Amino acid sequence: MFSSDASVYGGTSSIRNPRRRQRTSSNDSVAIKQEPKRRKRSRLASDTFEPLPNQTANGNIRHTSGSNAPNGQISGSTGRQDASVDTASLAFRTRGSKKPDKNDLGGEEDGVLTRNDNCTVTQIAVVPDQLRGIQSADQWHGEFSDSHDFVVVTTHSQAILWRYSLGKGVSESHKPLKIRLPYPSEDLHLPLPLGVVVPGSGAGDLALLIVMPVSGRITYWENAASAAHVDLARQKQQGIHGIIPGRLSGEIITKVTAAEPDGFVLTCNTGRVAHLAVSDAQGKPHISVQYLRGSATSGGGIFAGLKSVFGSSGWRRDVAAVKIGVSRVKGQRDCVVATTKGSFQIWDLIRHGTKSVSGEVDAKTVMCESLKTVGAEVDRQDDGAFEVLDFAIMPTKAKGKELMRSSDKDTYKLLVFATLLGAASVRYALLGLTIRNGSADVNVVHPISCYTTLYSIDSLWRPQIFLPEPAETAFLVFDKSVVLFSLAEVEDTPSSQLQIEAHTLPDPFQDTIDFRKDKKYYVVGCREEVPYRGSTEASCAILVHGFGMVRVTALPARDGQSMLERTAVTAKMKIEQAVFFGSIANNLLDFSGRPEISFRDEEAEAAALEISDSIMKSTSTYIPAMLPSMEHQLQLRSNALNDLIRYLNQCQVQLTRLARWELLWSAEKMAAAKAIWQSYNAALKTRGQDKNLLAELFEMMHEEFKVENRPDFGETDPVRQYFIHDIWRIDLVVPWAENAVEELYTDGIQDPIRQAKLISEAMDVQLAALETAFNFREENASLYGLDGEDMVEGVLVNGYEGLPEIWTSVVENMAKIKELVDLSREMVINHMDKAGEEGEPEEPLIMKIGQDNPRLIEICCKSYQERFRWLLSRTDEQAKFEGEGLKQAYYEIRKTLIVKLSDLFLVEEAVTLAIKHRDMQALVELVTQGLKDCQDRLHQPGLSDDEEAELERRVLLNKSRLQSYFKKFGGAWANALYTFRISRGELADLLDDEVGQQSFLTEFLRSETSYYKIGWINEIVAERNYQMAADHLIQVQKEETNLWNKKVELSMAKLALLAAEEKKQTPDVHTKSIIKKTDRRLAITNTQESLYDCIRPTFQGAIDETAETDLAIDAFCRGHLKEKPSLRAITAELIKKLVARQALTPEDLMDTLTLVHVDSRLHEEDFAAHRFFHALSLSRLAGHDRSDPGRKDLNEKLIWRRCIIQDNWEAINHTELKGDAEMEAVTGATALFQTLREGFRNDLFCPSLSPPALPSSLLTAGTSLASLRASSRYASVSDSVLTRLAHDLEVEDAHLAHAIDKGRLDLWWDGIVQAAKKSVVAQVVEENEAKVRNRGKKGLAGCGVGVGQGLDSQGDVVMI
């Protein structure tokens, strides 16, 4: 087992002479050409991959654009560049093969799985049917050929071989090879056989090596095609068989690496590595195995010999990777072996010669120290924390593959893929490692931040690194993910230099491509591909268990794009991939995102809006702008918008409310555009010579509203161009549909048929746009996270705050929809009776226009509702004002449009609309008018029995509806019905006709004060509610302007109150209080009637009311009023109302009583003589004592002042030669004395109303704006008016001051007051004595006793 001779000779059973090359028959399925002569390698530059004193711009390793793909591919090997050769028989050619163009993929790729600015992932369709049958099974293994586009898949019993890259030269069907294994595994739990495909020894041969990992059996076929077409016995004879000697107990082969020519490197789970040759020194088929052993030269490295890590004491899985370089001389290959602990050994493999170590180093320490520089936490005591997963050999400028060396032959450049396991996480990194003279240096470290998932040691696939040409992108392939990492240098610019100095240079581009987690997808094989001639795209072909084959391609930077611009993975990039590729059926990829690559909600929202905008404008590169089917193109865009919001919801992006609405508006615009196109497309199928309205519309539309056509570029279809570029402003099509009809009318289209078609097509456009939009909004609100919105049929009820103007309700939409409703109605009315006649539209067209009219009214109503609600939600007062006006206009427009449907004989549709919008006014008019029309027609003579029966049925139907709506709509219906009847002058008839709906009638009559004039009758007759009747009457009299009506209403109110008191309908105290207030109001009306009777003689006999007014004004607006223009104007207006018997307010009555001019002394019993007393009584009746004391105070001061200045107190003060009797007579004749005596006689004076203490206290009352504003009476009067009034009151005040000064009125005051009291007492005594004498009774009636009407101490009216 431990023999140093590790060579074992396996026999061959080939029936031919091994020295003689077999002739290729015409039936062979493999035919190859002679391998071309290899070119001489280019000389390496001395500075190639030299360690830099400082890291380059972004820490990347410097690569050249012409460098070869790394990791041991043979110079001149064919990747995708061989796709043009004939592969129908699995032949491959290396000599003289023409490289195809970049797009020469033939049927190779089935579909794009994802694509962005940085990479594409495509499915490779060339997968044999045999593989499709086993690819979902649990046990199979796949391996790519390192040098050609071949794949071999092995199971326990068979191997399937095929070429996966096809080209234009393929003329026959693909024929894979299926080979039964000579030594199949009986135990299915054992590791799967390992297969490797290499060129055979003969021209056109394809060789296949099969290694059984556990048993060590080896089978090699120089011609795999021949082995696939013979039976098992002949297959064994054709193959070369052997077994690996010297294996340790439990040792298993884990990896077979081709090391051409005629050689392979075997990796064991024990850590040992062996070289396998399939021919001897003479070129005869022969299997020999030699273990690679070498002495350590660098500190006791792990390659120290048989007892080292490659001996029996090695750890399992200690070898991380084995990579083969190119041949530097004929028959020689470089082989690099890396362990998981960071040791590297470079072997010089010589064909049929010795295998020697040309370099080895333990680089763990230097790599761990380098990881610390990027923030990694390395525990030097924990050997298991750091691990090398794989490495790649860096390519040189020379063509082909070779181990990258500098001018020093002992210097090697590697890119190491390592991992560092932390306490709670795992970190991956790429390290640029230089091995020179037994030492290792790390010149660059690239942390992998986009992938931190711990790989499973139990996985069948170990993470590997691939570095395909041009070596600017590293592919890190995990079992269910692929990480792309950019190695391209950042340009040396002033900006990048500044970022380097500031340590703000962004990390290189890196991204992760994940496989779906809900499927058993994982990598089983991967291969670097050689780019096309002149191409800078790097790609890898990957074999995926359960799926098939895919190609991952890293794209170069766009023209003018710097490396800095593509360093970051943007939210837009990730969302676009999910949106445009996530919905592909059975897609391999998972677009749900990784936690390592996350974005803020604001970034995701901005990206989503940008993507939505690109879809709406057809600027997205993921959807073709031009397709034969416009409907299909619109559907693709609609699906993309749907996928966009679903992905955002899946990722739980917290979008703002405005963003959700904007995304929804875009989606509904797309749905509307699709509906319009379908209508247009259907119309094209039946079009005649006339151009469709939509085509006319887009030609008329101004260029600022659309992307202008460019005929020079073949853009000749304005309709398609609009749907491609301008859907984002599809709202403009709605008003332009009606505009186009008007324009065509103006241009002289008079043909009714053409007009009807245009109107019909315009209606189709508006209906398709807005019906679809509102329906879409209603159905998809929850999808866009707006299910909490208060929305009815796509229209928000409230919640417009923060939203911009909504496209479905712009001003132009509303106006043009209504105009089209009117236009279409007129078309039907004008032509319905003549439809089908010569020169007239056909009846079906007219019927269609009529039937579409209710639908158009519906979207018109929705647009109006949305518009005025949006305006009312604005903070701008002007907008709110416009919104309120539009709201009122909408109610009237809605009613008009619905009712006018009856002109089209669409009463049922009109009723349906009225009920839907709860338009009770329209519903009442429709039902009542329908009832009236039927009843009127029933009275027409000449009706047949059937017609009469039908009319009677409709009468009953309308009556039934009328009654049923009371139950269905309640007060809303009743109010509308009663209002309509009132508008027709049927207010009084309501009391007789609505007995069955008494409760609704009562509620209606109580709803507004304008109905109280008849409502009080309903309260008494129907409800027997006298208190409510009184309340109605009292409320009515407040608004009553006619004096007589007011007095009657108050009188009836008092009677109703007395009845309510008797019926105990309200508490007695409440009723009595209201009765007292009513008595006060009656007293006020009585005062006005007395005043009217007083002035009536002056205009009695006038010819008309105007003459009466003029005479009264001439009689009473003279004297002192001439010097008071403002007061004279007020008095004239009051006299005008008084003559017209209009009810005056108490204060107006006070002014009238105190301002009228009286020329002569009147009898003391005359009403005019006591007018100031009545004015003071009105002040008390007005009841301002508590509610407005300032108002009461000013009123009474003005009354007293005007009373005083009625007489000449300066003359009265001259008492020379006058006796007491004369002075008593003079003072007793003054208006002041008469007022005081009348007040004392009627108990007018009380604490709240008493004569002023002195006349001087009345000075300055009302003579300034401030004193006038103290009274609420003048609160709403302008300053200019009050200024003029104050001026007149100053004149009054001057007269009073003169009386006080010259007439010594303050001295006379108390004497006059006492004289007035004394006079009242004497009069009362005399009256009582007369009563005693007349009745023979004694007794004193007391002060304040009289006959007539007076006030008690509370100001209430009493009989005296």
Side-chain angles (χ1 to χ4, degrees):
M1 177 180 292
F2 296 100
S3 171
S4 61
D5 184 7
S7 297
V8 173
Y9 296 92
T12 177
S13 302
S14 176
I15 60 176
R16 64 180 174 86
N17 188 339
R19 288 183 174 271
R20 181 177 180 179
R21 179 166 298 169
Q22 185 178 7
R23 187 185 303 272
T24 304
S25 65
S26 60
N27 296 328
D28 287 344
S29 61
V30 178
I32 62 174
K33 294 184 177 181
Q34 185 67 31
E35 184 174 352
K37 184 178 180 180
R38 298 185 180 182
R39 298 179 180 179
K40 186 177 180 181
R41 288 189 304 167
S42 300
R43 178 180 178 86
L44 297 179
S46 60
D47 60 346
T48 302
F49 209 74
E50 281 294 320
L52 302 177
N54 293 313
Q55 290 187 354
T56 56
N58 63 350
N60 289 344
I61 302 172
R62 183 180 300 275
H63 305 299
T64 60
S65 60
S67 60
N68 297 311
N71 308 322
Q73 290 195 5
I74 297 176
S75 177
S77 63
T78 58
R80 280 184 288 169
Q81 72 270 30
D82 293 329
S84 64
V85 302
D86 183 5
T87 60
S89 59
L90 282 180
F92 64 93
R93 298 180 179 134
T94 58
R95 180 186 300 169
S97 60
K98 180 182 178 180
K99 295 184 179 180
D101 295 332
K102 180 177 181 180
N103 295 326
D104 189 13
L105 296 177
E108 179 181 351
E109 296 181 354
D110 188 22
V112 178
L113 302 180
T114 189
R115 172 170 58 89
N116 56 43
D117 292 341
N118 300 311
C119 71
T120 61
V121 181
T122 52
Q123 184 176 10
I124 300 176
V126 185
V127 177
D129 293 336
Q130 294 92 328
L131 180 62
R132 297 183 191 277
I134 67 171
Q135 64 179 355
S136 60
D138 292 334
Q139 295 291 325
W140 63 277
H141 174 75
E143 192 72 39
F144 283 89
S145 169
D146 285 341
S147 56
H148 302 89
D149 299 340
F150 289 96
V151 184
V152 60
V153 168
T154 56
T155 67
H156 285 289
S157 60
Q158 63 181 338
I160 301 173
L161 173 65
W162 78 96
R163 185 171 188 172
Y164 72 87
S165 180
L166 301 179
K168 294 177 180 178
V170 178
S171 58
E172 302 180 16
S173 61
H174 182 62
K175 296 179 181 179
L177 298 180
K178 180 178 180 181
I179 302 175
R180 290 173 294 176
L181 302 184
Y183 307 106
S185 300
E186 297 181 357
D187 187 353
L188 300 181
H189 295 89
L190 293 178
L192 289 164
L194 304 176
V196 179
V197 181
V198 294
S201 60
D205 289 344
L206 191 66
L208 174 64
L209 175 72
I210 298 293
V211 177
M212 306 303 288
V214 178
S215 65
R217 289 184 177 274
I218 301 172
T219 302
Y220 179 74
W221 288 283
E222 286 187 310
N223 191 328
S226 177
H229 293 93
V230 298
D231 56 23
L232 186 60
R234 294 187 63 190
Q235 183 191 85
K236 288 184 178 181
Q237 291 177 355
Q238 293 180 3
I240 305 171
H241 307 280
I243 189 168
I244 302 173
R247 293 184 303 111
L248 302 177
S249 176
E251 191 171 42
I252 298 173
I253 308 303
T254 58
K255 179 72 176 176
V256 178
T257 306
E260 299 180 48
D262 300 332
F264 303 88
V265 176
L266 307 179
T267 304
C268 303
N269 63 340
T270 58
R272 297 202 296 171
V273 179
H275 180 264
L276 166 66
V278 293
S279 64
D280 58 15
Q282 291 75 34
K284 297 179 180 180
H286 178 75
I287 292 179
S288 63
V289 178
Q290 181 179 356
Y291 288 100
L292 303 182
R293 303 185 182 92
S295 59
T297 60
S298 56
I302 62 173
F303 304 102
L306 184 63
K307 295 183 181 180
S308 71
V309 67
F310 297 106
S312 61
S313 62
W315 300 290
R316 291 182 180 272
R317 297 181 65 87
D318 189 48
V319 174
V322 175
K323 297 295 172 71
I324 306 300
V326 298
S327 176
R328 289 179 281 109
V329 295
K330 186 175 181 179
Q332 183 273 341
R333 298 298 294 273
D334 287 326
C335 174
V336 182
V337 181
T339 69
T340 59
K341 300 306 177 185
S343 296
F344 294 86
Q345 191 173 47
I346 302 173
W347 285 85
D348 193 359
L349 305 181
I350 301 177
R351 186 177 186 181
H352 310 303
T354 60
K355 282 69 178 173
S356 60
V357 178
S358 61
E360 59 181 326
V361 66
D362 184 352
K364 177 180 178 181
T365 301
V366 67
M367 287 192 290
C368 289
E369 291 298 326
S370 299
L371 289 174
K372 289 182 179 180
T373 63
V374 293
E377 298 180 1
V378 182
D379 185 359
R380 301 185 64 179
Q381 304 299 323
D382 186 0
D383 291 338
F386 174 80
E387 180 180 355
V388 173
L389 297 176
D390 195 12
F391 69 94
I393 300 172
M394 298 303 300
T396 65
K397 294 181 179 179
K399 276 293 191 182
K401 294 287 186 178
E402 67 174 83
L403 183 63
M404 181 165 182
R405 298 187 181 185
S406 65
S407 57
D408 184 355
K409 67 178 182 179
D410 295 328
T411 301
Y412 308 94
K413 304 293 184 179
L414 307 176
L415 185 62
V416 180
F417 180 24
T419 180
L420 188 64
L421 182 63
S425 63
V426 63
R427 296 281 300 275
Y428 299 96
L430 296 177
L431 301 97
L433 184 67
T434 301
I435 300 175
R436 180 189 293 110
N437 299 326
S439 63
D441 294 320
V442 176
N443 66 307
V444 66
V445 179
H446 293 304
I448 307 300
S449 59
C450 65
Y451 188 89
T452 58
T453 302
L454 178 64
Y455 77 93
S456 174
I457 60 174
D458 298 326
S459 174
L460 298 177
W461 175 264
R462 181 179 176 83
Q464 296 183 29
I465 181 174
F466 296 88
L467 196 60
E469 295 180 9
E472 292 185 350
T473 303
F475 291 67
L476 311 179
V477 182
F478 295 83
D479 59 343
K480 296 179 75 67
S481 301
V482 178
V483 174
L484 301 181
F485 193 97
S486 174
L487 301 176
E489 275 192 320
V490 175
E491 295 82 353
D492 190 7
T493 63
S495 176
S496 63
Q497 291 294 334
L498 291 175
Q499 287 180 299
I500 293 173
E501 294 174 3
H503 303 286
T504 59
L505 194 68
D507 294 331
F509 165 78
Q510 54 181 299
D511 194 9
T512 303
I513 302 170
D514 287 312
F515 298 166
R516 289 173 58 179
K517 303 177 182 64
D518 59 337
K519 300 288 185 179
K520 292 183 179 180
Y521 295 151
Y522 56 86
V523 176
V524 294
C526 183
R527 174 183 181 263
E528 302 169 0
E529 295 188 305
V530 178
Y532 299 110
R533 180 181 302 168
S535 173
T536 56
E537 295 181 356
S539 64
C540 285
I542 302 175
L543 186 61
V544 181
H545 180 280
F547 184 79
M549 297 183 65
V550 295
R551 173 174 290 120
V552 181
T553 303
L555 303 177
R558 299 189 305 271
D559 292 341
Q561 183 184 31
S562 67
M563 290 299 103
L564 287 177
E565 292 174 339
R566 58 184 279 138
T567 54
V569 176
T570 63
K572 180 185 177 185
M573 181 188 302
K574 285 298 184 182
I575 296 174
E576 280 181 330
Q577 292 180 74
V579 168
F580 296 107
F581 301 100
S583 59
I584 296 176
N586 301 319
N587 198 329
L588 166 71
L589 306 181
D590 179 13
F591 298 99
S592 59
R594 299 189 61 83
E596 299 90 344
I597 304 176
S598 60
F599 307 95
R600 293 181 292 109
D601 289 335
E602 294 81 358
E603 295 177 287
E605 178 178 302
L609 293 173
E610 186 177 351
I611 293 169
S612 175
D613 185 67
S614 69
I615 296 171
M616 297 298 292
K617 297 179 179 178
S618 289
T619 57
S620 172
T621 59
Y622 299 99
I623 298 178
M626 293 294 294
L627 286 175
S629 172
M630 190 71 239
E631 183 174 352
H632 179 52
Q633 202 262 2
L634 293 173
Q635 186 63 53
L636 289 177
R637 293 158 73 185
S638 180
N639 292 343
L641 291 173
N642 183 270
D643 292 339
L644 172 60
I645 189 60
R646 292 186 182 276
Y647 179 73
L648 295 174
N649 292 339
Q650 176 187 341
C651 296
Q652 299 181 347
V653 178
Q654 299 301 311
L655 298 172
T656 62
R657 178 172 180 258
L658 177 58
R660 294 184 183 277
W661 272 108
E662 289 179 344
L663 292 173
L664 175 57
W665 290 331
S666 294
E668 67 192 28
K669 284 182 179 180
M670 186 64 66
K674 183 180 175 184
I676 295 174
W677 175 263
Q678 289 172 340
S679 173
Y680 170 73
N681 198 38
L684 291 180
K685 297 177 182 178
T686 59
R687 74 181 188 276
Q689 297 180 351
D690 296 327
K691 187 181 291 186
N692 185 275
L693 175 75
L694 212 55
E696 299 274 14
L697 184 156
F698 291 129
E699 288 183 0
M700 294 179 185
M701 187 177 286
H702 195 271
E703 56 269 14
E704 68 176 304
F705 302 135
K706 64 181 179 180
V707 174
E708 193 67 18
N709 282 358
R710 298 175 299 175
D712 295 342
F713 292 87
E715 297 174 355
T716 59
D717 188 347
V719 179
R720 286 181 182 267
Q721 284 299 110
Y722 192 91
F723 280 90
I724 291 172
H725 300 293
D726 296 301
I727 288 179
W728 60 278
R729 44 187 171 188
I730 196 72
D731 52 294
L732 297 176
V733 175
V734 175
W736 269 94
E738 200 278 336
N739 283 345
V741 175
E742 289 185 357
E743 290 291 333
L744 292 172
Y745 273 25
T746 304
D747 290 343
I749 293 181
Q750 301 298 327
D751 179 16
I753 299 176
R754 176 65 171 150
Q755 290 177 347
K757 287 182 179 179
L758 290 174
I759 290 174
S760 176
E761 291 170 358
M763 295 176 76
D764 290 342
V765 170
Q766 291 189 349
L767 288 171
L770 295 182
E771 274 188 344
T772 303
F774 286 120
N775 291 338
F776 185 93
R777 189 182 300 168
E778 177 72 15
E779 294 168 1
N780 294 275
S782 59
L783 176 62
Y784 285 82
L786 300 171
D787 46 335
E789 301 282 350
D790 188 3
M791 186 185 303
V792 177
E793 294 189 352
V795 180
L796 277 175
V797 178
N798 51 54
Y800 288 87
E801 294 77 11
L803 296 181
E805 186 179 37
I806 303 175
W807 74 276
T808 48
S809 58
V810 294
V811 176
E812 294 81 3
N813 282 9
M814 295 185 308
K816 293 303 178 179
I817 295 171
K818 179 185 177 300
E819 289 179 15
L820 190 57
V821 171
D822 295 334
L823 195 61
S824 62
R825 183 179 60 252
E826 292 174 5
M827 171 60 68
V828 176
I829 292 174
N830 294 336
H831 298 278
M832 67 169 62
D833 295 333
K834 299 178 289 184
E837 297 178 3
E838 184 177 358
E840 292 291 325
E842 295 294 330
E843 184 177 356
L845 181 58
I846 293 297
M847 290 182 62
K848 174 189 176 297
I849 295 174
Q851 292 296 331
D852 286 344
N853 199 270
R855 295 170 58 196
L856 207 58
I857 292 174
E858 173 64 17
I859 63 172
C860 181
C861 290
K862 289 183 176 181
S863 294
Y864 267 93
Q865 289 173 357
E866 193 171 74
R867 182 68 184 180
F868 77 69
R869 290 171 182 171
W870 179 79
L871 286 171
L872 290 174
S873 70
R874 303 300 90 187
T875 56
D876 180 29
E877 291 300 324
Q878 179 62 29
K880 288 185 177 181
F881 177 77
E882 293 177 6
E884 189 60 40
L886 185 62
K887 179 180 179 181
Q888 300 306 318
Y890 159 67
Y891 292 144
E892 188 60 35
I893 291 171
R894 181 183 66 187
K895 173 195 167 186
T896 301
L897 295 181
I898 292 176
V899 171
K900 284 188 176 181
L901 282 174
S902 60
D903 297 340
L904 307 180
F905 302 103
L906 298 174
V907 176
E908 292 302 319
E909 289 80 355
V911 169
T912 300
L913 276 176
I915 291 175
K916 179 178 181 179
H917 290 278
R918 299 186 70 86
D919 191 333
M920 296 299 104
Q921 293 182 0
L923 187 60
V924 165
E925 191 165 340
L926 288 168
V927 175
T928 54
Q929 190 62 42
L931 177 61
K932 183 178 182 301
D933 290 344
C934 291
Q935 289 173 338
D936 291 343
R937 291 182 61 190
L938 274 173
H939 293 89
Q940 294 178 359
L943 293 175
S944 65
D945 293 341
D946 291 341
E947 290 175 336
E948 187 173 350
E950 175 62 20
L951 288 172
E952 289 176 349
R953 186 192 68 82
R954 291 170 62 183
V955 168
L956 292 175
L957 174 63
N958 284 315
K959 286 185 175 180
S960 175
R961 276 180 170 174
L962 192 145
Q963 293 298 322
S964 66
Y965 292 156
F966 279 102
K967 182 177 181 180
K968 185 173 184 178
F969 300 111
W973 163 257
N975 292 343
L977 177 62
Y978 299 146
T979 302
F980 178 73
R981 296 195 63 180
I982 290 172
S983 68
R984 295 172 59 175
E986 301 174 3
L987 179 61
D989 296 338
L990 294 178
L991 300 178
D992 299 328
D993 296 346
E994 304 300 331
V995 178
Q997 304 295 339
Q998 182 58 49
S999 60
F1000 290 109
L1001 177 60
T1002 300
E1003 183 179 357
F1004 172 74
L1005 294 176
R1006 290 176 178 176
S1007 63
E1008 292 187 23
T1009 57
S1010 59
Y1011 304 144
Y1012 285 2
K1013 280 194 174 183
I1014 192 173
W1016 71 271
I1017 300 176
N1018 178 70
E1019 298 294 341
I1020 292 176
V1021 175
E1023 300 294 335
R1024 297 292 192 271
N1025 191 333
Y1026 304 112
Q1027 180 63 48
M1028 185 63 70
D1031 292 342
H1032 283 6
L1033 288 165
I1034 292 172
Q1035 188 64 38
V1036 166
Q1037 65 84 29
K1038 291 180 180 179
E1039 308 296 329
E1040 185 62 69
T1041 59
N1042 184 274
L1043 180 63
W1044 186 88
N1045 289 349
K1046 189 180 186 75
K1047 185 172 183 180
V1048 170
E1049 288 160 357
L1050 286 170
S1051 301
M1052 294 299 297
K1054 184 173 182 179
L1055 290 175
L1057 287 169
L1058 293 173
E1061 185 178 25
E1062 181 179 351
K1063 296 294 184 180
K1064 305 296 184 182
Q1065 292 181 350
T1066 56
D1068 291 343
V1069 175
H1070 177 71
T1071 303
K1072 290 182 181 300
S1073 174
I1074 298 177
I1075 291 174
K1076 288 182 178 180
K1077 291 180 180 179
T1078 305
D1079 287 340
R1080 291 182 182 181
R1081 295 187 179 102
L1082 282 170
I1084 294 172
T1085 60
N1086 290 336
T1087 301
Q1088 182 173 345
E1089 284 196 329
S1090 299
L1091 178 59
Y1092 177 79
D1093 293 339
C1094 180
I1095 68 172
R1096 183 179 180 183
T1098 61
F1099 56 81
Q1100 196 166 14
I1103 59 175
D1104 56 21
E1105 187 174 336
T1106 303
E1108 292 177 347
T1109 302
D1110 292 340
L1111 290 174
I1113 292 175
D1114 290 341
F1116 296 102
C1117 291
R1118 296 183 293 114
H1120 66 91
L1121 289 177
K1122 290 182 179 181
E1123 57 181 349
K1124 306 167 188 173
S1126 179
L1127 289 176
R1128 187 182 187 284
I1130 293 174
T1131 305
E1133 183 63 26
L1134 293 175
I1135 290 177
K1136 180 179 178 181
K1137 291 181 179 180
L1138 186 63
V1139 171
R1141 303 302 300 272
Q1142 294 183 18
L1144 300 179
T1145 65
E1147 289 172 320
D1148 287 342
L1149 272 176
M1150 294 179 207
D1151 285 341
T1152 307
L1153 289 168
T1154 58
L1155 289 175
V1156 292
H1157 172 74
V1158 180
D1159 330 78
S1160 59
R1161 298 286 180 180
L1162 300 176
H1163 192 273
E1164 62 179 8
E1165 298 297 333
D1166 191 279
F1167 179 82
H1170 301 147
R1171 63 186 188 278
F1172 295 104
F1173 160 74
H1174 292 299
L1176 291 171
S1177 298
L1178 288 172
S1179 177
R1180 187 167 179 180
L1181 291 171
H1184 295 311
D1185 303 44
R1186 297 180 180 178
S1187 62
D1188 196 348
R1191 187 169 184 169
K1192 171 183 175 295
D1193 182 63
L1194 179 61
N1195 289 337
E1196 292 177 358
K1197 284 184 176 180
L1198 293 178
I1199 294 172
W1200 284 111
R1201 186 168 66 190
R1202 290 168 184 170
C1203 176
I1204 293 173
I1205 64 176
Q1206 289 296 308
D1207 298 287
N1208 187 350
W1209 288 98
E1210 182 179 3
I1212 294 173
N1213 185 54
H1214 291 289
T1215 59
E1216 299 90 346
L1217 303 176
K1218 295 179 181 178
D1220 291 343
E1222 184 178 357
M1223 287 303 300
E1224 288 178 356
V1226 171
T1227 56
T1230 61
L1232 174 62
F1233 186 88
Q1234 295 291 335
T1235 300
L1236 288 170
R1237 187 182 66 176
E1238 196 67 17
F1240 287 128
R1241 189 172 74 87
N1242 292 280
D1243 284 342
L1244 175 64
F1245 303 127
C1246 59
S1248 63
L1249 178 60
S1250 60
L1254 289 173
S1256 57
S1257 64
L1258 305 177
L1259 291 173
T1260 71
T1263 58
S1264 64
L1265 287 178
S1267 62
L1268 289 174
R1269 292 291 186 196
S1271 171
S1272 60
R1273 182 184 183 185
Y1274 303 107
S1276 60
V1277 182
S1278 65
D1279 288 347
S1280 60
V1281 173
L1282 288 185
T1283 300
R1284 292 193 297 271
L1285 177 60
H1287 180 270
D1288 288 357
L1289 294 178
E1290 286 180 356
V1291 175
E1292 289 186 352
D1293 201 62
H1295 287 300
L1296 176 61
H1298 182 79
I1300 294 172
D1301 183 31
K1302 301 299 181 179
R1304 299 189 301 168
L1305 190 55
D1306 280 349
L1307 297 177
W1308 286 92
W1309 184 257
D1310 289 339
I1312 295 173
V1313 172
Q1314 293 301 323
K1317 287 183 179 180
K1318 182 178 178 182
S1319 173
V1320 170
V1321 172
Q1323 183 181 3
V1324 171
V1325 170
E1326 182 180 351
E1327 289 176 352
N1328 286 335
E1329 289 178 351
K1331 289 180 181 179
V1332 171
R1333 287 193 300 269
N1334 293 333
R1335 299 179 183 178
K1337 298 179 181 180
K1338 295 182 180 180
L1340 185 61
C1343 183
V1345 177
V1347 179
Q1349 210 175 52
L1351 302 177
D1352 61 13
S1353 59
Q1354 284 75 37
D1356 295 323
V1357 179
V1358 295
M1359 303 303 297
I1360 55 175

